[in-house]
Structures are given as structure tokens and as C-alpha cells.
Amino acid sequence: MSRRPARRRAHAPQAPHESQAQLPPHGPGPGRGRRVSAALVAAALGAVALSGATTTFQSAAAAPQEASPQEIAPQEATPAAAPAAAAADDGPAPTFEADYLDGVSGSVPTTSVSLAGTWDFEVVTETECASIYPYPIGPQRCTTTESDLETTIQVPGGGWHKQGFTSVSQAIYSREITVPDIGSPQVTTIALGAVNHQATLSVDGEVVATNMTAFTDSVFDISAFVTPGSTHTVAIDVKGRNALVDEGGYYTVPEAASWSKNVPQGIFRSATLEVVPALNIADTFVTTSVADGTVTIDAWLHNGGDAVATGELTGVIGSASDSDFDYPAVPAQAVSVPAGETVKVTVGPLAWKEGSDSYWWPNVPYVEGYRAELHELDLSLEGEAATSSSHVRFGFREIEQVGDGYELNGAPVNFRGDSPQGANYDSIDFHGRGDAFHTYPGFLEPSADNAGWPQVVDNYQRLNYNSIRIHQEPASPYMLDVADEMGLMIMSETAIRGSNGRQNLTTGFDNMVSHVGDLVRRDRNHASVLRWSQANEPTTGFQSPFPAPGYTLEFDRALYWAVMAEDTTRPISSDGNSEDLGYDNYTTWCHYVGEDSDKYTDDVCEGFPAPGKPHGSGEHIWYKDNTHQGFMWFATSTERMRTKGAADIRPYSLLSAWGSFVPGVSTTDVILEQVPGATGDSHPLYGEDNLADPWSQTQIARIQKAFSPLLVSDDGYWEANKKSNAAGEWPARPVTLAPGTEVTRTFNVFNDTLDSTEVTVDWSVHRGAADGPTVAEGVLELEIGIGEDVQEDITFTTPAGQEDLVLVVASSTPEHGEVFVDDGTRFVVGFADVAADNLFFEEIAWARQAGITTGWTEPDGSTTFRPLEKINRDAMAAFLYRLADPEGFVAPAVSPFTDVPTSNQFYTEIAWLEQEGITTGWTEADGTRTFRPLEQINRDAVAAFLYRLADSPAHEAPAVSPFTDVTPQTQYYAEITWLAETGVARGWEGNDGTFQFEPLLPIARDAMAAFLYRFDQL
């Protein structure tokens, strides 16, 4: 991957987006921090009533919300000790400094000095917070103690939690800095890449400003407090989330993952001292319109001097992908900026002459090594004494919410993907726990030992995921840079989380709203960021029994306008069943709707949040996602949801099933989010320690099929197998076809290619295997709209005999060639004497496919099952043996039964039955034991056999029998009622609504197939 040297913006404040002209100008000015959005939104909405009270908004210059002094009573606690610096290492903890983490775009400092390294570290307070509920939901009880610990810490170093200061809630970082002198009037800033959360910076003991941030940069203009060329002492007093808990025990900051102890705290990602000319380019936003064929440049110019400054703004647009396009010229602009102010200058719209080859497109269908088309804008602001510059990389693309879907560059686009939650990876102990996005090798640039974040993106795309929601912990700018380059669509989500009921949306209102604006401003030039997620599960429905205070639709509305104040070009949504806000560019995504008792769902919430709006599932499957069955649902539920027109489908969450899609991760490295009611830690199903070749793994291979942009699925087959089984198998249920009959199967054919409507489907049916003799074949030439799907029927005649058939389907387009191939649809051609309308047709087919029965070959060559024949005890033994499939059993040399010689056809099976205690036989008058192999077996004895085969599970027989012909005194009463309780036996229903079991009736072969099938599903 080719990359430019990292360049950062100077982070000076800017004016609002022009589209929000009715809102008052905002921007705190030098040294006044970045609390701007709350006041901005307040002016638009007026006072907003939350929880029945009127909220007073802070002004841009107001001090950030702090926890009240009396909220936490000081109590005894163990004083913090300076932690060992990465216990497994001999040297100091790593700084994890990497220039590229701050991204390729931004204002370019004239001089930049890294502040990474060892800082003095004074712990002010330590706080321990504990849930008042067994699961991490609702308010906490926190105890805080003062500390006198003075030590050192690495900056950024992943924050203080990663370095072992796990109980610290407030601490002061300090060091000396020498301010560069650029020889002309200058603005000097300290730029912290990310701070959680409140930072008060002082220079030589004088307070400069207080900023409140969450996972985004915190920038301080120290120009008025320092002298160029001189040395000063800088102190930064930082409060983490546990110092920002209100009187009710709720966080007042968007801290992303209330359930996790490992969320980064303090200063992380980067720390730099930056100098720019007094007249400088503070920020740049490039917007593009495919519909209008234009590009527009918004530049915010800041004057940090004490007099009006004039200059000329010039720019050049070029290729960041070494392409040869005819770019529009950027006309020069004469500018004048009053002292101490920020002025927005708009250049354009400029005509974009190039066609779709110059557009940013995602890597769909997947092509290894794909790189999206990117462009770059270089701006220069030449003042009277010095020149300021800015570099922005962008993609020419346009995303719109249109009706119940979306369009990218005018083409309908359906989003299919994941919601990776960084807090899960924060649990990895890599030089300490926390801040995985900026410290763990799997999220960084490739290295000798780890393929890094580009491999993660490639894994997603190879899996046919086209989009991901970066869930709760915002991505690093580097992660978004790579997504820009590789063509992965991103939904950028804030750290506002209602799920655990631990964020107070009233006392923390200003902090929540300002965080939204900070994140949008930071990420809005990224081509891959196509949508904004303003909050995760803010509604009270996910917070019982401790709903977080303050959630109302007006809260959602405030977040919406905070996004719109900074960017009007992207759709906005909220994840987690919120109500609609009524805006054409807004929707919400369902979570966990329509789940059955096993937690499976393929409900897409059609009509929610409002008819005609995009709908789909933002989360489903959790907490079954780290089970084999749940992992297969990633595939099966997605295919089913695609047939229902879902605009977005995100099974939750891939990391729980396949943790090592981030390279380097083993199963025990990651501690997953706690499941309600669970004790102990849970881990991903697969990691590098137990999955050497992921692409041959059953569930992963099936997910690739289900997410393919040109998926062709047999509708009835996927419906029959959507629940899979405990082992996560595909297929899990046989689909049986009658022998010698004409069969019609219905295909669902999907077209999510973005650029083609001509789809060819080749299909063929083979005996036994995908490369076996061909039974039938055909070609479908289809015209399918982009983003749409159609149903098409195929017809073929099954062979007369009993055998397996394999359906092979492939799809292609003229532009991409063959995109999809699947040979995983396998049919069982049934027995000649078991018609498709037989009551136990599927169960008998299952018994054949499972190898429990083979039937009889008749003189005419057909295969029969003889469903109504009664079963002898020896055949019953064989059936149970094949069902159990015991490994390594060796039959004894001497038979346990005198009437079963070792030469008996089913000797091994009968001997196994006796050894397992499933049968004891009869003790005869002479003391010997017999099995009576040729006797028919009655239904009551079958109940006993199955109960013992299940290891005689604990079962309290009911006082009242479910069957009128079985009483508590009946032999095998407990076993029969267990069979009924588990659903293995249902009995016969009489005209009066009562049921009979017929315990002494010899069981027929069809009923036995049904019993064994249901038993196998337990």
C-alpha cells in the first residue's frame, strides 16, 4: 500500500457548515477548548425538555460538566502503586508512537515536535466502581480516595489503564517543552491525538483551557502562554470516566463500553507540539456531488495574530492513486481574516469532468489487491510573513438515502457486514490491556510479525462483507485511511451507549452532543465513511431494569442536528430500535427483533422505523455468536434477510466467532462482553490457535456464499436449513426428493454488484458428488436491477433409484466474470415406497442420510423403506448404534447373551447396547441371559432405550400422565413421560382432545425414524 507521510491538521476552531446558516457562528477561539456543538444545537432547538426538566445548554466558552464534589464519598482504598512497566519486558513500557495513526489528511504544521516519551505522572485520585446488579447494567457505587503517588508514564502509551494504572481516575501529566520559533508570527498548539476524557492544560502553572473529549483529539492553543524559542513546563490534568460519574452513579461522558474495564483512559494515540503561521488553514472539508458533477472546497482560515491578516488561498487537485485525470483548476482566493477569528472560505462548486472511473467505489465484487480511486487536494495560504498548507485526501462519491434504500454514485447499494467492537480487543494483554486500535499489531501497519489492519480489511472483503460499523470505540484515522484505499464502506459510530444504562443522557447531555460534532469533523473527509451512527441502543428497551436517565426523542434529535451542523452529505442513523425522527436522511436499525427461543431471527423490521424508510437488522445472534450453531446463522439468517429486502444486515459479532480475523489473535486472548447470567469469561470460538486455514472452515465458507453480491440460493433449501444444528453443520436437515419425479426448485438470485444488470446463472445436478454424472443442467440469462433480487424456477427429473444428488450453481456478469459458485446444495432421493406427502417423509429421509437405515433393494432395482413394518429388537440395536456412532468399540469375544452368537448379523451393535446399560435382556430360569433379538420391540421399551441412551437425565415424572393409557404405575412411566416432555413422542390425539401412547404396541419403522430424528435434535 502506498501512503503519503502523515500530515495533521492544526485543529484550530472553525465556523459551522454553510448549510446550517440559520445557526449562530461557533468556535471557541484560541485557548478556549472545543466545547462548541452543544451551544450550536441549543440555538437551533431552543431549550430541550429531557426527563421533564428544562436543560440549560453551556455556552461554547463554559467550563465542561464535572462530577459534583459530594457525589463520591472518600473511603479507604488501597493506594496505587507504580505498576511494573510491561511485566514481561525488561525495559520501559512502549510509547506506541506512530505518526501514521493520525491519518494522511489535515493541516500541515510548519514545525511539529513529538511529545511522545516519558512524562511525569502524579496520581490525584483513584476510584473503584462496582455494579449494584450482578450484570454490568445500571448505576454504579463508586468510592474515591486521594493519592500521593508520583511516578512516570509513557505518552501516548495506550493511556494510563494499559500501563497498569487501572484504578486511577484523575492524574496530572507534566513535562518540559521547548517551543520552536519559525521566525514569523505563529500559533503554537499542543495536539493530543485522543483523550478520555476531561483535560485541563496549564503552562508554567497558568491554566490555558479545559477540553472534554471522547476518543477524539484534544487541542490546546498555548500561543498566549509561551514564547517561541523558550522552554516551559506543561501540565495536563486529566479526568477519566470514573472521575466523571454523577450523583446517581452514572457516567456523564460517552465512554463507549460500560461493561468493559479496559476502555482506554487518559492520553492515547499521539501527542505533538505544533507550530503554524499566525494566519493558517485550520480545517478543510471537501464535498463531492456525482449528480451535479462538482467538487466543493470549504476551508476554515484562522488568524491567531493581533491584527487583521490578509493572504491568498490557492490549491491544486491531483491523483492520490497515480491516475491520469483532467482535474479542475482551483481558483485563487484573496482573503482577509480579523484578528483572533476564524473565517470560512468556500471554493466552488468546481466542475468535475471525469466519469465513473474517477469515482470512489467499494471492492465489490471482491478482487484481491483492489485499490479504490482517491484524489488529493493541496491548499496553500500565503500570508504576508509565512505560508500555511493543508493536505486532504478524498474520494469522489455521493451517498444518498433514497426511499427504503441507499444509492452510491447513483447505484442502489445494500450494506452487508459487521459491527466490530474495539472494547473486546482491549481485553488483550499486549503490554497491558486497553487501546487495541492504537497499540495491538492487528490494527496497525503491517510488520514482520503481523499483517496488520490491511489484512483485517482484506479478510472482511474476502468474506464478502462490504461494510462495517465501527462500534462504539471510534476507529483510528489510520484505520479509516486503509478503508479508503481498499474500498471498505464504513459506518462511523459515536461512543454514546445506552445499552448498559450507565450513561446519564441529561447530566452528560452537553458532553454527548459535543462528542458527536468532534467525531464528524474528524472523519468527514474519509471516502469510506458513508454513514453516521449517532448512538448505539440509546432507548430504554435495552436497559431494564436500570434505564439510563434522559433518553427522549429530543435527545436523538439533538444528536441528529449535531451531525448535520458538521456534515449534510451523508445519511444518519441510530442503532437499536429508536423511533423515527421524520427526516429524509435518517433511519434506525433493529436489534434482536423476532428472536425465537434459540435466539435465531431473520426478521428485518419491515415498516420500522417508518414505512418507506431503509430497514434491516443492525444486531442479531449475540450471545450465540461464539457457538457453532450461531456462527452458521451468520450465513443462514443473512440469506433469509436478503430475500426480505433488508437494506442493512449485520450479524453480531464476527469477532466472537472468529477472533483471528484480526491477525495474531488466539481464542484465549480476547475476553468477550459478558452474557447476562453467565459466570466466568467467554472467548471467541476460533483464533489462530485452533484455526490454521479459516477459508476451508465450514461456517466461514458458507458465510462467503451468503454474503456474495451474486448469491444464488435454493429458496426451500436455505429455509429448511436456516437453523442448522448444535454443530453448526451445513446442511443440517436433509431435503428429500421423490424418486423418478419431475421436481421444481426456486432460486433466489441477487445482484449487489453496483455496475451490472446482466446476470448469468449456470446450474447442474449431479449424482453423488459435484463432479459426478450429470442428471440435468441449464442456463438462466437474467436482467436484474442493481441492488435487487429475483426468483426463478428450474425443473429436472430425479433418478428412479435411491441416491444423493448435488446441485451446483454459478453466477457471473460480463463485467466481472464468474463471481459465485456453490456446490453445497445436496438432495436425498428418497425411498420408492415413501411418498413426499408421507407424515414422516423428512424424518425417514434424515435416517437414510444419517446412515441409520439403508432400506431394501427390490428386484426391480428400486429401494424401499417398508415404513409400516414392525421393528425387531436386533434392528433396533443397529439403529441406536448407528445413531450414537461410538468410536473404538470392540465387541467382546464372549457374547453377554446366550441367544446372540458372536456370528450374529448385529452382534457388535447388541453387545454395545448391553455394555452401555441400554439393555439388560432377560434372565432365564437357568440363570443365563437372553436378548430375544427377533422379537418385536414395543413403544414402552423404545422409551426406556432412548432414555438410557440420553444417560438417564434428571427427570421428575409428573403426577398426572400426559397420556390416558399410561399411569404412574405403568412400567417405564418415567421414561415415557420424559419422551413426551422432550417432544420425542407425541402420541395419538383422540376426538376428545386427550392423547394415547400405546405403550405395548410394537413400533413401526416410520415412527422409529421420527423418534430418532427428534431425539437427535435434543
Side-chain angles (χ1 to χ4, degrees), residues 710-946:
L710 279 184
L711 167 66
V712 181
S713 62
D714 181 304
D715 188 69
Y717 200 88
W718 283 74
E719 176 66 23
N721 282 281
K722 67 182 183 182
K723 291 289 294 291
S724 187
N725 56 23
E729 293 177 318
W730 176 273
R733 293 188 61 181
V735 173
T736 305
L737 307 178
T741 59
E742 186 176 83
V743 173
T744 298
R745 306 298 301 179
T746 299
F747 285 167
N748 300 307
V749 187
F750 300 87
N751 178 20
D752 284 327
T753 62
L754 296 173
D755 61 357
S756 180
T757 60
E758 298 178 36
V759 178
T760 299
V761 177
D762 293 276
W763 64 271
S764 55
V765 179
H766 303 266
R767 296 177 186 267
D771 58 356
T774 301
V775 172
E777 59 186 342
V779 178
L780 301 175
E781 299 288 355
L782 305 174
E783 185 77 16
I784 307 176
I786 295 173
E788 298 179 359
D789 60 280
V790 300
Q791 286 195 329
E792 291 287 333
D793 290 342
I794 65 165
T795 301
F796 60 91
T797 300
T798 59
Q802 171 195 348
E803 55 189 305
D804 290 341
L805 297 179
V806 177
L807 171 65
V808 179
V809 291
S811 58
S812 60
T813 70
E815 292 82 0
H816 301 284
E818 186 174 85
V819 172
F820 173 83
V821 179
D822 186 16
D823 62 1
T825 303
R826 299 168 182 265
F827 299 106
V828 176
V829 177
F831 297 104
D833 58 345
V834 181
D837 59 355
N838 186 289
L839 180 61
F840 300 122
F841 180 80
E842 287 193 9
E843 291 86 343
I844 294 168
W846 166 84
R848 177 197 171 280
Q849 187 180 53
I852 293 172
T853 181
T854 57
W856 286 267
T857 301
E858 303 297 345
D860 63 359
S862 65
T863 305
T864 59
F865 180 67
R866 304 179 187 176
L868 299 182
E869 280 194 6
K870 308 304 181 183
I871 296 178
N872 291 347
R873 288 170 56 83
D874 58 352
M876 180 69 192
F879 281 6
L880 296 184
Y881 182 86
R882 295 167 191 165
L883 177 66
D885 193 22
E887 293 185 9
F889 175 73
V890 177
V894 177
S895 174
F897 300 114
T898 57
D899 58 346
V900 182
T902 57
S903 58
N904 185 287
Q905 178 184 4
F906 298 121
Y907 173 67
T908 296
E909 292 86 342
I910 294 169
W912 170 81
L913 211 67
E914 188 273 340
Q915 179 176 292
E916 292 297 310
I918 295 172
T919 183
T920 56
W922 284 267
T923 300
E924 304 296 346
D926 60 1
T928 60
R929 288 197 300 155
T930 58
F931 181 68
R932 305 179 188 177
L934 299 182
E935 280 193 8
Q936 294 178 346
I937 186 167
N938 292 345
R939 289 168 58 87
D940 59 351
V942 171
F945 279 15
L946 291 176

Side-chain angles (χ1 to χ4, degrees), residues 473-492:
E473 288 191 17
S476 70
Y478 164 71
M479 293 166 65
L480 300 180
D481 284 343
V482 174
D484 295 342
E485 296 165 6
M486 297 180 67
L488 178 66
M489 298 184 287
I490 300 291
M491 177 191 285
S492 181

Side-chain angles (χ1 to χ4, degrees), residues 54-179:
T54 299
T55 298
T56 303
F57 290 81
Q58 285 182 238
S59 69
Q65 174 77 35
E66 295 192 26
S68 56
Q70 70 272 24
E71 69 188 33
I72 301 172
Q75 296 183 22
E76 289 294 328
T78 304
D89 301 333
D90 295 329
T95 64
F96 296 107
E97 180 187 24
D99 289 344
Y100 65 83
L101 287 173
D102 284 315
V104 300
S105 294
S107 298
V108 181
T110 304
T111 299
S112 178
V113 178
S114 172
L115 298 181
T118 304
W119 289 50
D120 291 330
F121 190 65
E122 178 186 346
V123 177
V124 178
T125 59
E126 298 172 78
T127 302
E128 295 289 348
C129 293
S131 177
I132 64 175
Y133 193 67
Y135 180 64
I137 290 179
Q140 303 178 90
R141 294 191 182 98
C142 298
T143 58
T144 293
T145 58
E146 295 182 356
S147 174
D148 58 2
L149 175 65
E150 295 183 6
T151 182
T152 59
I153 194 170
Q154 296 301 306
V155 174
W160 69 54
H161 183 93
K162 188 174 187 70
Q163 297 179 61
F165 298 97
T166 56
S167 62
V168 170
S169 53
Q170 180 180 357
I172 299 172
Y173 297 78
S174 61
R175 63 163 288 166
E176 287 190 343
I177 62 169
T178 298
V179 179

Side-chain angles (χ1 to χ4, degrees), residues 679-693:
T679 58
D681 295 333
S682 60
H683 304 282
L685 186 62
Y686 292 112
E688 290 193 353
D689 52 324
N690 65 356
L691 189 62
D693 179 17

